[in-house]
Amino acid sequence: METIPEVVERISQKIEAKGVTVDREKVRSKLTLLVEEFGIQIEEAERTVTNELLREHNLFTPPSSGQEERAISDVTPGDWVTVEGKIVSLAEPPSSAIAQSGIIADSSGAVQFVVWAKAKAPTLKERTWYRLEAAVVDEYRGAPNLKVHSGTKVTELPEDRPLMPSVVPIASLKPGVGSIRAKFIEEWEPRHDRMLQTGLLGDESGRIKFVLWKDGEREKLEPNGVYTFYYATVDEFNGRLSLNLGTAMYIPEDGDIRVSTGGETIQGAFVHMGPGSGLIKRCPVEGCNRVLSRQNYCPVHEIQSSFRYDLRIKGVIDNGKKARNVLMQCETVTQLAGMTLEQAIEIAENNPLGLDDVLIQLQHHVMGKYLRCAGSDIDGTFLVKECGRVQCDASLHASLINRAAASQGDDAA
Amino acid sequence: MSNGSSGKFSGFEREPAVRVFASELRESRIQFKESEDEKSPSYVLLPTGERCNRIFLCGQMTQKEKKGEQNKFYTIRVQDPTGTFFINAGSYQPDAMQQIARIEPPVYVAVLGKPGIRTTADSSVFVSVRAESVTEIDLETYRCWVLDCAQQTLDRLDSFGQTDDSRKAKEFYNTNTAIYRQIIQDALTQIEIQ
């Protein structure tokens, strides 16, 4: 094992090689403290003291792997990188351990970044170009995230370079940061006090849920308006993407977009009718619309004296390979079971079994039946827009007979 | 990107209802669980090489019997073109019990249920279905099911020996796939579709 004086000498020479005079007594006392008082391995203590002195004299140079200069679109978790980019957005740091967070972009793309409070880095200004040397890329919520730590060298670049964000179709968004041109197609009721607005955006390629938080002075989107959104954060949750506009810039655009219906058709047997099906009562409070319990209790507005009736079916359509939750609104229920809302109310109010009788009649019409439904999948539930019974197909019958007969010879062989 | 239901955190995914003819279900002998956990689903391995925790079947309800003194339960028989399904529903399946109580044979019914294999005292094997729901259907739905079941059984036969489950089935049952194709063909020729 090396002795303390040897290590003191080596550290001092290393620092002096950079043209600074070193107080050997100070080096010795630091090293002795670490090794003798704290029982730290001498090699580890040597590294710590060296780095501390380098920083003290502003001589710190990052490990060489961090010198590799990269286009921002190429950074991948696990890399040490050097990038040059423009701070296009700054957000409220979510924790006191974080000095700043936001988005940095170059002409190739954009990435979220975090400046640790411990990094003692200069405060980054929005709309300014910087060179970040030896930043670490890790993964946060499925997206690459650039970390500015104490070893990262931050240099402000004097010039403003042209920067044109590349706008992509919704279908090709990935977790991270993205820019899209889209239409505001559906507004949903905010489910949280901090939410300013939420709903669906769509373009020719698909649709995506978005959230606009109340932080900062944000303007609401106009329903059916077309916008270009620059540098929105793309989050992934349960395998679904959503767009956080907190970091985004959005500019209203002229023209219209033919939004993809995102539609698909599913077929299978209706095998289960779930709770919440049949005639239901909804909360009459403006904008609430929640389902009331049988005792007219709304989870938010408590006991209600009046209510609005609605008819729906929540169930499962199963094709033998996959069971899918489906939701049928009043119109579809009428189309399928031949029961209108008025008829359902009539049954419920004049029948001793009341609401249960509505349910029994609906079950009789749909349970076990083969259905074909057109609609779209929202968060794991298939919203049915149109629905009909499947008819027996004579040509399918014939082809199956042939298929069964044709290969018998093969199997026997 | 994965879709919602297969995502890592999506948790529960409902078991699909496999389509199987009575004559195939009757030949099943293996029932297994993937883990020791009490709540983990139990599967029956079908001779054509697919596991099922839940099945969907249609046919003619030919017999209904109420059994048991204190713990009442129903047993019903449902006939498809290939044989008979033995179905029961007890107090732990209140929905199915009430549905059965309202139905009188002979009618066409659709049954959703969980298959189970048990060995009786005289060491013969009995395959039955514990019903989750039993509903009356029309002839049209029954025909649709025969086509659906024929198609899905043919699909299983076509990939026989290529999937893990079917390799196990081959080992245990030594399945003669030609016989199953014959059964399917007979089933299909029994129904008429205009």
Short mmCIF file of all heavy atoms in Angstrom, two decimals, chain A residues 238-239 241 269 271-272 316 318-323 367-370 389-394 397 400-401 403-405 407-408 411, chain B residues 1-2 4-5 9 13-14 16-17 19 56 112 133 135 138 140-141 143-145 147-148 152 154-155 158 177 181-182 185 188 191:
data_model
loop_
_atom_site.label_atom_id
_atom_site.label_comp_id
_atom_site.label_asym_id
_atom_site.label_seq_id
_atom_site.Cartn_x
_atom_site.Cartn_y
_atom_site.Cartn_z
N ASN A 238 -48.50 3.69 -19.15
CA ASN A 238 -49.20 2.45 -19.51
C ASN A 238 -49.15 2.16 -21.00
O ASN A 238 -50.13 1.72 -21.59
CB ASN A 238 -50.66 2.52 -19.09
CG ASN A 238 -50.82 2.07 -17.65
OD1 ASN A 238 -49.85 1.69 -17.01
ND2 ASN A 238 -52.04 2.12 -17.16
N GLY A 239 -48.01 2.49 -21.61
CA GLY A 239 -47.87 2.21 -23.03
C GLY A 239 -48.58 3.21 -23.93
O GLY A 239 -48.60 3.04 -25.15
N LEU A 241 -49.10 7.26 -25.20
CA LEU A 241 -48.41 8.54 -25.21
C LEU A 241 -49.40 9.65 -24.91
O LEU A 241 -50.57 9.57 -25.26
CB LEU A 241 -47.77 8.78 -26.57
CG LEU A 241 -46.70 7.78 -26.99
CD1 LEU A 241 -46.15 8.16 -28.35
CD2 LEU A 241 -45.58 7.72 -25.96
N ALA A 269 -67.86 -12.39 -29.84
CA ALA A 269 -69.06 -12.67 -29.07
C ALA A 269 -69.13 -11.71 -27.90
O ALA A 269 -68.12 -11.44 -27.25
CB ALA A 269 -69.04 -14.11 -28.58
N VAL A 271 -69.66 -11.37 -24.39
CA VAL A 271 -69.65 -12.41 -23.37
C VAL A 271 -69.91 -11.91 -21.96
O VAL A 271 -70.13 -12.72 -21.05
CB VAL A 271 -68.30 -13.18 -23.37
CG1 VAL A 271 -68.13 -13.95 -24.67
CG2 VAL A 271 -67.13 -12.25 -23.13
N HIS A 272 -69.87 -10.60 -21.75
CA HIS A 272 -70.02 -10.13 -20.38
C HIS A 272 -70.63 -8.74 -20.36
O HIS A 272 -70.20 -7.87 -21.12
CB HIS A 272 -68.64 -10.11 -19.70
CG HIS A 272 -68.66 -9.54 -18.32
ND1 HIS A 272 -69.20 -10.21 -17.26
CD2 HIS A 272 -68.19 -8.37 -17.83
CE1 HIS A 272 -69.08 -9.46 -16.16
NE2 HIS A 272 -68.47 -8.36 -16.49
N VAL A 316 -67.89 -6.79 -22.52
CA VAL A 316 -66.69 -7.38 -23.09
C VAL A 316 -67.06 -8.11 -24.38
O VAL A 316 -68.02 -8.88 -24.41
CB VAL A 316 -66.05 -8.39 -22.11
CG1 VAL A 316 -64.85 -9.08 -22.76
CG2 VAL A 316 -65.63 -7.71 -20.81
N ASP A 318 -65.39 -10.69 -27.07
CA ASP A 318 -64.29 -11.65 -27.03
C ASP A 318 -64.26 -12.39 -28.36
O ASP A 318 -65.26 -12.93 -28.81
CB ASP A 318 -64.60 -12.61 -25.86
CG ASP A 318 -63.48 -13.60 -25.62
OD1 ASP A 318 -62.96 -14.16 -26.60
OD2 ASP A 318 -63.15 -13.82 -24.44
N ASN A 319 -63.07 -12.39 -29.01
CA ASN A 319 -62.98 -13.10 -30.29
C ASN A 319 -62.24 -14.42 -30.14
O ASN A 319 -61.84 -15.02 -31.13
CB ASN A 319 -62.32 -12.20 -31.34
CG ASN A 319 -60.87 -11.92 -31.03
OD1 ASN A 319 -60.32 -12.41 -30.05
ND2 ASN A 319 -60.25 -11.10 -31.85
N GLY A 320 -62.02 -14.86 -28.91
CA GLY A 320 -61.34 -16.14 -28.69
C GLY A 320 -59.85 -15.97 -28.46
O GLY A 320 -59.19 -16.83 -27.89
N LYS A 321 -59.30 -14.83 -28.94
CA LYS A 321 -57.88 -14.55 -28.76
C LYS A 321 -57.68 -13.44 -27.74
O LYS A 321 -56.70 -13.39 -27.03
CB LYS A 321 -57.24 -14.10 -30.09
CG LYS A 321 -57.33 -15.13 -31.20
CD LYS A 321 -56.14 -16.07 -31.16
CE LYS A 321 -56.26 -17.17 -32.19
NZ LYS A 321 -57.29 -18.15 -31.83
N LYS A 322 -58.64 -12.52 -27.75
CA LYS A 322 -58.50 -11.34 -26.91
C LYS A 322 -59.88 -10.87 -26.46
O LYS A 322 -60.84 -10.91 -27.22
CB LYS A 322 -57.83 -10.23 -27.73
CG LYS A 322 -57.28 -9.10 -26.89
CD LYS A 322 -56.35 -8.25 -27.74
CE LYS A 322 -56.03 -6.93 -27.04
NZ LYS A 322 -55.54 -7.06 -25.68
N ALA A 323 -59.95 -10.49 -25.19
CA ALA A 323 -61.21 -9.96 -24.65
C ALA A 323 -61.07 -8.45 -24.55
O ALA A 323 -60.10 -7.96 -23.97
CB ALA A 323 -61.47 -10.56 -23.27
N MET A 367 -76.33 -10.62 -24.88
CA MET A 367 -75.41 -11.64 -24.32
C MET A 367 -75.29 -12.84 -25.25
O MET A 367 -76.29 -13.36 -25.74
CB MET A 367 -75.91 -12.11 -22.95
CG MET A 367 -75.57 -11.17 -21.81
SD MET A 367 -73.80 -11.06 -21.51
CE MET A 367 -73.53 -12.62 -20.69
N GLY A 368 -74.06 -13.25 -25.47
CA GLY A 368 -73.80 -14.43 -26.28
C GLY A 368 -73.88 -14.19 -27.77
O GLY A 368 -73.54 -15.07 -28.56
N LYS A 369 -74.33 -13.01 -28.17
CA LYS A 369 -74.49 -12.73 -29.60
C LYS A 369 -73.16 -12.33 -30.25
O LYS A 369 -72.29 -11.76 -29.60
CB LYS A 369 -75.49 -11.57 -29.81
CG LYS A 369 -76.83 -11.77 -29.13
CD LYS A 369 -77.68 -12.79 -29.85
CE LYS A 369 -79.13 -12.78 -29.41
NZ LYS A 369 -79.35 -13.09 -27.99
N TYR A 370 -73.05 -12.66 -31.52
CA TYR A 370 -71.88 -12.23 -32.29
C TYR A 370 -72.11 -10.84 -32.83
O TYR A 370 -73.12 -10.60 -33.51
CB TYR A 370 -71.59 -13.21 -33.43
CG TYR A 370 -70.85 -14.44 -32.95
CD1 TYR A 370 -71.52 -15.52 -32.42
CD2 TYR A 370 -69.46 -14.47 -33.01
CE1 TYR A 370 -70.83 -16.63 -31.96
CE2 TYR A 370 -68.75 -15.58 -32.56
CZ TYR A 370 -69.44 -16.66 -32.04
OH TYR A 370 -68.74 -17.74 -31.58
N ARG A 389 -75.35 -7.00 -35.57
CA ARG A 389 -75.20 -8.45 -35.40
C ARG A 389 -74.43 -9.02 -36.58
O ARG A 389 -74.54 -8.54 -37.71
CB ARG A 389 -76.60 -9.10 -35.38
CG ARG A 389 -77.44 -8.78 -34.16
CD ARG A 389 -77.17 -9.73 -33.01
NE ARG A 389 -77.29 -11.15 -33.36
CZ ARG A 389 -78.41 -11.86 -33.26
NH1 ARG A 389 -79.50 -11.30 -32.83
NH2 ARG A 389 -78.41 -13.14 -33.58
N VAL A 390 -73.65 -10.06 -36.33
CA VAL A 390 -72.96 -10.75 -37.40
C VAL A 390 -73.89 -11.82 -37.96
O VAL A 390 -74.49 -12.58 -37.20
CB VAL A 390 -71.66 -11.41 -36.88
CG1 VAL A 390 -71.01 -12.26 -37.95
CG2 VAL A 390 -70.69 -10.35 -36.38
N GLN A 391 -74.03 -11.84 -39.28
CA GLN A 391 -74.85 -12.87 -39.91
C GLN A 391 -73.97 -14.05 -40.28
O GLN A 391 -72.79 -13.91 -40.54
CB GLN A 391 -75.51 -12.31 -41.19
CG GLN A 391 -76.37 -11.08 -40.96
CD GLN A 391 -77.56 -11.37 -40.07
OE1 GLN A 391 -78.23 -12.38 -40.24
NE2 GLN A 391 -77.83 -10.49 -39.11
N CYS A 392 -74.57 -15.22 -40.30
CA CYS A 392 -73.84 -16.41 -40.72
C CYS A 392 -73.47 -16.29 -42.18
O CYS A 392 -74.30 -15.94 -43.01
CB CYS A 392 -74.70 -17.64 -40.52
SG CYS A 392 -74.24 -18.49 -39.06
N ASP A 393 -72.24 -16.61 -42.47
CA ASP A 393 -71.74 -16.40 -43.81
C ASP A 393 -71.62 -17.75 -44.52
O ASP A 393 -70.81 -18.60 -44.16
CB ASP A 393 -70.36 -15.71 -43.69
CG ASP A 393 -69.79 -15.34 -45.03
OD1 ASP A 393 -70.34 -15.80 -46.06
OD2 ASP A 393 -68.80 -14.59 -45.06
N ALA A 394 -72.46 -17.94 -45.55
CA ALA A 394 -72.48 -19.23 -46.25
C ALA A 394 -71.15 -19.52 -46.94
O ALA A 394 -70.72 -20.68 -47.00
CB ALA A 394 -73.61 -19.24 -47.27
N HIS A 397 -68.74 -20.78 -44.43
CA HIS A 397 -69.13 -22.15 -44.13
C HIS A 397 -68.51 -23.11 -45.14
O HIS A 397 -67.86 -24.09 -44.78
CB HIS A 397 -70.67 -22.24 -44.16
CG HIS A 397 -71.20 -23.57 -43.74
ND1 HIS A 397 -72.33 -24.11 -44.30
CD2 HIS A 397 -70.76 -24.47 -42.84
CE1 HIS A 397 -72.56 -25.29 -43.73
NE2 HIS A 397 -71.63 -25.53 -42.84
N LEU A 400 -64.69 -23.33 -44.88
CA LEU A 400 -64.22 -24.08 -43.72
C LEU A 400 -64.36 -25.59 -43.95
O LEU A 400 -63.48 -26.37 -43.54
CB LEU A 400 -65.00 -23.67 -42.46
CG LEU A 400 -64.65 -22.30 -41.87
CD1 LEU A 400 -65.65 -21.92 -40.78
CD2 LEU A 400 -63.23 -22.27 -41.33
N ILE A 401 -65.45 -25.99 -44.60
CA ILE A 401 -65.63 -27.41 -44.91
C ILE A 401 -64.47 -27.89 -45.79
O ILE A 401 -63.84 -28.91 -45.53
CB ILE A 401 -66.98 -27.67 -45.61
CG1 ILE A 401 -68.12 -27.41 -44.62
CG2 ILE A 401 -67.05 -29.10 -46.14
CD1 ILE A 401 -69.52 -27.57 -45.21
N ARG A 403 -61.53 -26.53 -46.03
CA ARG A 403 -60.27 -26.46 -45.28
C ARG A 403 -60.13 -27.71 -44.39
O ARG A 403 -59.06 -28.29 -44.29
CB ARG A 403 -60.28 -25.20 -44.42
CG ARG A 403 -58.91 -24.72 -44.02
CD ARG A 403 -59.03 -23.42 -43.25
NE ARG A 403 -58.09 -23.43 -42.13
CZ ARG A 403 -58.10 -22.56 -41.15
NH1 ARG A 403 -59.04 -21.61 -41.10
NH2 ARG A 403 -57.21 -22.63 -40.19
N ALA A 404 -61.23 -28.11 -43.75
CA ALA A 404 -61.18 -29.27 -42.87
C ALA A 404 -60.90 -30.54 -43.68
O ALA A 404 -60.12 -31.39 -43.26
CB ALA A 404 -62.49 -29.41 -42.10
N ALA A 405 -61.53 -30.62 -44.86
CA ALA A 405 -61.40 -31.82 -45.68
C ALA A 405 -60.02 -31.88 -46.35
O ALA A 405 -59.38 -32.93 -46.36
CB ALA A 405 -62.49 -31.85 -46.74
N SER A 407 -57.01 -30.86 -45.72
CA SER A 407 -55.73 -31.17 -45.07
C SER A 407 -55.75 -32.47 -44.28
O SER A 407 -54.77 -32.82 -43.65
CB SER A 407 -55.33 -30.00 -44.17
OG SER A 407 -56.46 -29.41 -43.61
N GLN A 408 -56.87 -33.18 -44.30
CA GLN A 408 -56.91 -34.44 -43.56
C GLN A 408 -55.86 -35.40 -44.06
O GLN A 408 -55.21 -36.09 -43.30
CB GLN A 408 -58.30 -35.08 -43.67
CG GLN A 408 -59.24 -34.57 -42.61
CD GLN A 408 -60.64 -35.10 -42.80
OE1 GLN A 408 -60.83 -36.26 -43.08
NE2 GLN A 408 -61.61 -34.22 -42.67
N ASP A 411 -52.36 -34.55 -42.71
CA ASP A 411 -52.13 -34.89 -41.31
C ASP A 411 -51.94 -36.39 -41.12
O ASP A 411 -51.14 -36.82 -40.30
CB ASP A 411 -53.31 -34.42 -40.44
CG ASP A 411 -53.27 -32.91 -40.28
OD1 ASP A 411 -52.28 -32.31 -40.72
OD2 ASP A 411 -54.21 -32.35 -39.72
N MET B 1 -43.32 0.90 -29.37
CA MET B 1 -44.25 1.16 -28.27
C MET B 1 -45.25 0.02 -28.18
O MET B 1 -45.75 -0.47 -29.17
CB MET B 1 -44.98 2.47 -28.57
CG MET B 1 -45.68 3.03 -27.36
SD MET B 1 -46.70 4.42 -27.85
CE MET B 1 -48.20 3.59 -28.27
N SER B 2 -45.51 -0.40 -26.98
CA SER B 2 -46.47 -1.47 -26.79
C SER B 2 -47.87 -0.88 -26.72
O SER B 2 -48.04 0.30 -26.42
CB SER B 2 -46.15 -2.21 -25.50
OG SER B 2 -46.19 -1.30 -24.43
N GLY B 4 -51.70 -0.62 -25.02
CA GLY B 4 -52.09 -0.44 -23.63
C GLY B 4 -52.19 -1.73 -22.84
O GLY B 4 -51.68 -1.83 -21.74
N SER B 5 -52.83 -2.71 -23.41
CA SER B 5 -53.13 -3.88 -22.62
C SER B 5 -51.91 -4.77 -22.38
O SER B 5 -51.87 -5.52 -21.43
CB SER B 5 -54.24 -4.68 -23.27
OG SER B 5 -53.92 -4.90 -24.63
N PHE B 9 -47.19 -2.10 -17.09
CA PHE B 9 -47.89 -1.75 -15.87
C PHE B 9 -49.40 -1.91 -15.99
O PHE B 9 -50.16 -1.47 -15.14
CB PHE B 9 -47.57 -0.30 -15.48
CG PHE B 9 -46.11 -0.08 -15.31
CD1 PHE B 9 -45.40 0.63 -16.26
CD2 PHE B 9 -45.43 -0.60 -14.21
CE1 PHE B 9 -44.04 0.81 -16.11
CE2 PHE B 9 -44.08 -0.41 -14.07
CZ PHE B 9 -43.38 0.30 -15.01
N GLU B 13 -55.30 -8.52 -17.16
CA GLU B 13 -55.82 -8.68 -18.51
C GLU B 13 -56.79 -9.85 -18.50
O GLU B 13 -56.47 -10.94 -18.06
CB GLU B 13 -54.67 -8.94 -19.49
CG GLU B 13 -55.14 -8.89 -20.91
CD GLU B 13 -53.98 -8.86 -21.91
OE1 GLU B 13 -52.85 -8.53 -21.50
OE2 GLU B 13 -54.22 -9.17 -23.07
N ARG B 14 -58.00 -9.59 -18.97
CA ARG B 14 -59.03 -10.61 -18.94
C ARG B 14 -58.64 -11.79 -19.83
O ARG B 14 -58.16 -11.60 -20.95
CB ARG B 14 -60.35 -9.99 -19.41
CG ARG B 14 -61.55 -10.91 -19.27
CD ARG B 14 -62.79 -10.24 -19.85
NE ARG B 14 -63.81 -11.23 -20.08
CZ ARG B 14 -64.82 -11.47 -19.24
NH1 ARG B 14 -64.93 -10.79 -18.14
NH2 ARG B 14 -65.71 -12.39 -19.52
N PRO B 16 -59.13 -14.50 -22.48
CA PRO B 16 -60.08 -14.67 -23.57
C PRO B 16 -60.79 -16.02 -23.45
O PRO B 16 -60.29 -16.94 -22.82
CB PRO B 16 -59.22 -14.62 -24.82
CG PRO B 16 -57.86 -14.98 -24.37
CD PRO B 16 -57.74 -14.56 -22.94
N ALA B 17 -61.97 -16.10 -24.06
CA ALA B 17 -62.75 -17.34 -24.01
C ALA B 17 -62.47 -18.17 -25.26
O ALA B 17 -62.84 -17.79 -26.37
CB ALA B 17 -64.24 -17.00 -23.92
N ARG B 19 -62.70 -21.09 -28.03
CA ARG B 19 -63.82 -21.83 -28.63
C ARG B 19 -63.39 -23.28 -28.77
O ARG B 19 -62.35 -23.58 -29.36
CB ARG B 19 -64.17 -21.28 -30.01
CG ARG B 19 -64.15 -19.76 -30.15
CD ARG B 19 -65.16 -19.06 -29.27
NE ARG B 19 -65.46 -17.74 -29.80
CZ ARG B 19 -65.25 -16.60 -29.16
NH1 ARG B 19 -64.75 -16.60 -27.95
NH2 ARG B 19 -65.56 -15.45 -29.72
N PHE B 56 -66.01 -20.37 -24.40
CA PHE B 56 -67.31 -19.88 -24.84
C PHE B 56 -67.90 -20.94 -25.74
O PHE B 56 -67.25 -21.41 -26.67
CB PHE B 56 -67.14 -18.56 -25.59
CG PHE B 56 -68.42 -18.00 -26.15
CD1 PHE B 56 -69.45 -17.58 -25.31
CD2 PHE B 56 -68.60 -17.90 -27.52
CE1 PHE B 56 -70.63 -17.07 -25.82
CE2 PHE B 56 -69.78 -17.38 -28.04
CZ PHE B 56 -70.79 -16.96 -27.19
N LEU B 112 -70.71 -19.05 -21.07
CA LEU B 112 -69.35 -18.63 -20.81
C LEU B 112 -68.96 -19.30 -19.50
O LEU B 112 -69.73 -19.25 -18.53
CB LEU B 112 -69.30 -17.11 -20.66
CG LEU B 112 -67.92 -16.50 -20.53
CD1 LEU B 112 -67.22 -16.50 -21.88
CD2 LEU B 112 -68.00 -15.09 -19.99
N SER B 133 -71.95 -17.38 -17.13
CA SER B 133 -73.23 -16.89 -17.61
C SER B 133 -73.82 -17.88 -18.60
O SER B 133 -73.09 -18.56 -19.32
CB SER B 133 -73.09 -15.50 -18.22
OG SER B 133 -72.84 -15.59 -19.60
N THR B 135 -77.05 -17.83 -21.36
CA THR B 135 -78.14 -17.02 -21.91
C THR B 135 -78.76 -17.70 -23.11
O THR B 135 -78.08 -18.39 -23.87
CB THR B 135 -77.66 -15.62 -22.35
OG1 THR B 135 -76.37 -15.74 -22.93
CG2 THR B 135 -77.61 -14.67 -21.18
N ASP B 138 -80.57 -17.46 -30.31
CA ASP B 138 -81.33 -17.98 -31.45
C ASP B 138 -80.45 -18.93 -32.27
O ASP B 138 -79.25 -19.05 -32.05
CB ASP B 138 -81.86 -16.82 -32.30
CG ASP B 138 -80.76 -15.84 -32.67
OD1 ASP B 138 -79.57 -16.19 -32.48
OD2 ASP B 138 -81.07 -14.74 -33.15
N GLU B 140 -79.47 -18.64 -35.27
CA GLU B 140 -78.46 -17.92 -36.04
C GLU B 140 -77.15 -17.80 -35.24
O GLU B 140 -76.06 -18.03 -35.78
CB GLU B 140 -79.01 -16.51 -36.38
CG GLU B 140 -78.08 -15.62 -37.16
CD GLU B 140 -77.99 -15.99 -38.64
OE1 GLU B 140 -78.75 -16.90 -39.07
OE2 GLU B 140 -77.16 -15.40 -39.34
N THR B 141 -77.27 -17.45 -33.97
CA THR B 141 -76.07 -17.31 -33.14
C THR B 141 -75.38 -18.66 -32.97
O THR B 141 -74.16 -18.76 -33.00
CB THR B 141 -76.44 -16.73 -31.76
OG1 THR B 141 -77.15 -15.51 -31.96
CG2 THR B 141 -75.22 -16.47 -30.92
N ARG B 143 -75.35 -21.11 -35.11
CA ARG B 143 -74.61 -21.39 -36.36
C ARG B 143 -73.31 -20.58 -36.42
O ARG B 143 -72.27 -21.09 -36.82
CB ARG B 143 -75.47 -21.04 -37.56
CG ARG B 143 -76.59 -22.03 -37.81
CD ARG B 143 -77.44 -21.49 -38.93
NE ARG B 143 -78.49 -22.40 -39.30
CZ ARG B 143 -79.67 -22.00 -39.78
NH1 ARG B 143 -79.91 -20.70 -39.92
NH2 ARG B 143 -80.57 -22.88 -40.13
N CYS B 144 -73.41 -19.31 -36.03
CA CYS B 144 -72.21 -18.46 -36.02
C CYS B 144 -71.13 -19.09 -35.13
O CYS B 144 -69.95 -19.09 -35.48
CB CYS B 144 -72.52 -17.07 -35.48
SG CYS B 144 -73.31 -15.98 -36.64
N TRP B 145 -71.57 -19.63 -33.99
CA TRP B 145 -70.60 -20.21 -33.07
C TRP B 145 -69.95 -21.46 -33.69
O TRP B 145 -68.74 -21.65 -33.56
CB TRP B 145 -71.24 -20.58 -31.73
CG TRP B 145 -70.27 -21.26 -30.82
CD1 TRP B 145 -69.31 -20.67 -30.06
CD2 TRP B 145 -70.12 -22.68 -30.63
NE1 TRP B 145 -68.58 -21.62 -29.40
CE2 TRP B 145 -69.04 -22.86 -29.72
CE3 TRP B 145 -70.79 -23.80 -31.13
CZ2 TRP B 145 -68.62 -24.12 -29.31
CZ3 TRP B 145 -70.36 -25.06 -30.72
CH2 TRP B 145 -69.29 -25.21 -29.81
N LEU B 147 -69.38 -22.08 -36.78
CA LEU B 147 -68.38 -21.62 -37.74
C LEU B 147 -67.14 -21.09 -37.02
O LEU B 147 -66.00 -21.41 -37.38
CB LEU B 147 -68.95 -20.51 -38.64
CG LEU B 147 -70.07 -20.85 -39.60
CD1 LEU B 147 -70.27 -19.70 -40.60
CD2 LEU B 147 -69.78 -22.14 -40.35
N ASP B 148 -67.38 -20.27 -36.00
CA ASP B 148 -66.30 -19.65 -35.24
C ASP B 148 -65.43 -20.74 -34.60
O ASP B 148 -64.20 -20.71 -34.69
CB ASP B 148 -66.93 -18.74 -34.17
CG ASP B 148 -65.91 -17.92 -33.40
OD1 ASP B 148 -64.78 -17.78 -33.89
OD2 ASP B 148 -66.24 -17.42 -32.30
N GLN B 152 -61.53 -21.62 -35.37
CA GLN B 152 -60.46 -21.50 -34.37
C GLN B 152 -59.80 -22.85 -34.09
O GLN B 152 -58.61 -22.91 -33.80
CB GLN B 152 -61.01 -20.86 -33.09
CG GLN B 152 -61.61 -19.49 -33.39
CD GLN B 152 -61.47 -18.49 -32.26
OE1 GLN B 152 -60.75 -18.72 -31.30
NE2 GLN B 152 -62.17 -17.38 -32.37
N LEU B 154 -59.50 -25.23 -36.38
CA LEU B 154 -58.63 -25.43 -37.55
C LEU B 154 -57.34 -24.62 -37.43
O LEU B 154 -56.27 -25.10 -37.78
CB LEU B 154 -59.38 -25.04 -38.84
CG LEU B 154 -60.37 -26.08 -39.40
CD1 LEU B 154 -61.19 -25.47 -40.52
CD2 LEU B 154 -59.64 -27.33 -39.89
N ASP B 155 -57.48 -23.38 -36.92
CA ASP B 155 -56.28 -22.55 -36.72
C ASP B 155 -55.30 -23.24 -35.78
O ASP B 155 -54.09 -23.24 -36.01
CB ASP B 155 -56.66 -21.17 -36.15
CG ASP B 155 -57.38 -20.29 -37.17
OD1 ASP B 155 -57.35 -20.63 -38.37
OD2 ASP B 155 -57.97 -19.27 -36.76
N ASP B 158 -53.65 -26.09 -37.57
CA ASP B 158 -52.66 -25.64 -38.56
C ASP B 158 -51.33 -25.28 -37.92
O ASP B 158 -50.28 -25.43 -38.54
CB ASP B 158 -53.21 -24.44 -39.35
CG ASP B 158 -54.25 -24.87 -40.37
OD1 ASP B 158 -54.41 -26.09 -40.56
OD2 ASP B 158 -54.91 -23.98 -40.95
N THR B 177 -54.33 -35.31 -35.42
CA THR B 177 -54.99 -34.11 -35.91
C THR B 177 -56.02 -34.44 -37.01
O THR B 177 -57.01 -33.74 -37.16
CB THR B 177 -53.98 -33.09 -36.45
OG1 THR B 177 -53.15 -33.74 -37.41
CG2 THR B 177 -53.12 -32.54 -35.33
N ARG B 181 -59.86 -32.96 -37.60
CA ARG B 181 -60.35 -32.35 -38.85
C ARG B 181 -61.64 -33.03 -39.30
O ARG B 181 -62.56 -32.37 -39.78
CB ARG B 181 -59.28 -32.44 -39.94
CG ARG B 181 -58.10 -31.54 -39.64
CD ARG B 181 -57.18 -31.41 -40.84
NE ARG B 181 -55.92 -30.82 -40.43
CZ ARG B 181 -55.68 -29.50 -40.41
NH1 ARG B 181 -56.61 -28.67 -40.80
NH2 ARG B 181 -54.51 -29.03 -40.03
N GLN B 182 -61.68 -34.34 -39.10
CA GLN B 182 -62.90 -35.08 -39.46
C GLN B 182 -64.08 -34.61 -38.60
O GLN B 182 -65.19 -34.40 -39.10
CB GLN B 182 -62.66 -36.59 -39.27
CG GLN B 182 -63.83 -37.47 -39.72
CD GLN B 182 -64.08 -37.33 -41.22
OE1 GLN B 182 -63.18 -37.47 -42.03
NE2 GLN B 182 -65.33 -37.01 -41.58
N GLN B 185 -65.26 -31.30 -39.81
CA GLN B 185 -66.00 -31.43 -41.07
C GLN B 185 -67.42 -31.96 -40.81
O GLN B 185 -68.39 -31.43 -41.35
CB GLN B 185 -65.25 -32.39 -42.00
CG GLN B 185 -65.69 -32.23 -43.44
CD GLN B 185 -65.08 -33.29 -44.35
OE1 GLN B 185 -64.24 -34.08 -43.91
NE2 GLN B 185 -65.51 -33.30 -45.59
N LEU B 188 -69.54 -29.19 -39.29
CA LEU B 188 -69.94 -28.17 -40.26
C LEU B 188 -71.04 -28.68 -41.18
O LEU B 188 -71.94 -27.91 -41.55
CB LEU B 188 -68.72 -27.73 -41.08
CG LEU B 188 -67.70 -26.86 -40.35
CD1 LEU B 188 -66.41 -26.74 -41.16
CD2 LEU B 188 -68.26 -25.48 -40.06
N ILE B 191 -74.80 -28.39 -39.91
CA ILE B 191 -75.59 -27.15 -39.89
C ILE B 191 -75.83 -26.67 -41.31
O ILE B 191 -75.02 -26.92 -42.21
CB ILE B 191 -74.91 -26.04 -39.05
CG1 ILE B 191 -73.53 -25.72 -39.61
CG2 ILE B 191 -74.86 -26.42 -37.59
CD1 ILE B 191 -73.00 -24.41 -39.12
#
